[in-house]
Amino acid sequence: MAEKTVKAPMPGTFYRRPDPESGPYVEEGGSVSAGDTIGLVEVMKSFHEIKAEEDGTVSKFLVGDEEAVSAGQDLVELE
Amino acid sequence: MAIRVKQPGLLTTVQDTGRFGEYAIGMPPSGAMDVFSYQVGNYLVGNEEGAAGLEITYFGPELEFTESAVIAVTGAELPPKINGEEAPTWETLAVQEGDVLSFDYLKSGARSYLAVAGGIDVPVFMHSRSTYTLIGLGGHEGRALQEGDELKVGESGDRSDRVGKRVDDDHVPAYSDAPELRVIIGLASYRLTEESMQTFLNTEWTVTPDADRIGYRYRGGELEFVEREQPAGAGADQANVVDFGYPIGSIQVPGGVEPIVLNNDAVTGGGYATIGTVISVDRDTLAQTKTNDKTRFRSVGLDEALEARKKRRRQMAEIKEALA
């Protein structure tokens, strides 16, 4: 099956969990539906939910939790 | 009505040259952060200087034109698309009724400017159309654009003869992700130890996610203040002084970590020692840096700052004339 990616729309800091006390939105191997949040990007004092655009299984996170990301950077591989 | 906001982007606001001259009541100027790109946009579409445009930050909006218009996109490399087809920046473009302007992912810089012939026609508040979102005044309802907003465009007459005009390549800036910003040291730089001033000037700072129209916060070093007894009227922090005015572009270092450059929407005064001020020309450069970029600060004298300003004005006059 073709690999798809979810990209960061804007530069910032990537978070895999909604808050420090919670677990990640989704783990590698987990399935997501279109519209599901897979992480957050923090920039300009706001957190922006990053959503899957289609259904799939997360094959790989390409960026770690709390890492810097640039606009258009691939965050997650979906299959 | 002439522009319908289908998607607002991350932070898209109406801005012009700003609400200058109101510091006495604590009103910051707001206005386009990258003055050069904003002004050149107006030259391209044949607007009067000071006509309002849109400032687009990091991630572009999707805008539908409900009547034909003459437009230009300048500033960051945030590739514009008209009905999905990539369109050039720094060039006057024609759009027809029903055309949709959208943007690809940001490639370099941070802020794009959309100029529309006739200007964005929002009400003037205190001699400016600029949006000041913190208080909720100016611009379109005092806030960033939202889905479903409708913007009026001012009367422009037929400007179709301008379509295809473009800014000479020599004048199109290339945005670095590690620029140097020139600063005038002062007004309260005496509060820093000499060693820390050297650290400030020698450090390659990183732009944090807290970088917006209010201030840009940097990380990368620690600065120390000269020990002193707390003067009457100053706060307890070593970074505190007795309240004074903050110039636009001034740099404060609360707690000695994370210098903050104050921008167009910042508080106009307060009690933090400002150790330097980014020169006006280089505030355009700052406006095109983004979270995670690097920045160095270089100390210059007032002569160099004023010379840079004159040179920039000559350059802008040259561009304006070439596009007339």
Side-chain angles (χ1 to χ4, degrees), chain B residues 19 33 53 73 149 158 161-162 202 207 212 237 248 256 272-273 282 318:
Chain B
R19 196 169 283 112
M33 277 185 61
V73 179
D149 283 346
D158 182 14
D161 59 327
R162 304 198 63 84
N202 293 330
V207 182
D212 56 20
D237 191 303
I248 309 291
Y272 280 109
D282 288 1
E318 204 179 297

Side-chain angles (χ1 to χ4, degrees), chain B residues 7 9 51 70 80 98 111 116 143 158 189 199 206 252 258 308 315 324:
Chain B
Q7 293 293 334
V70 169
R111 292 178 168 81
V116 183
R143 56 166 172 77
D158 182 14
S189 49
T199 304
T206 301
Q252 53 179 234
E258 304 195 345
Q315 183 193 14

Side-chain angles (χ1 to χ4, degrees), chain B residues 106-129:
Chain B
L106 180 68
K107 294 211 163 59
S108 75
R111 292 178 168 81
S112 272
Y113 292 85
L114 172 66
V116 183
I120 304 291
D121 187 17
V122 294
V124 173
F125 178 82
M126 289 179 81
H127 56 84
S128 171
R129 291 187 169 86

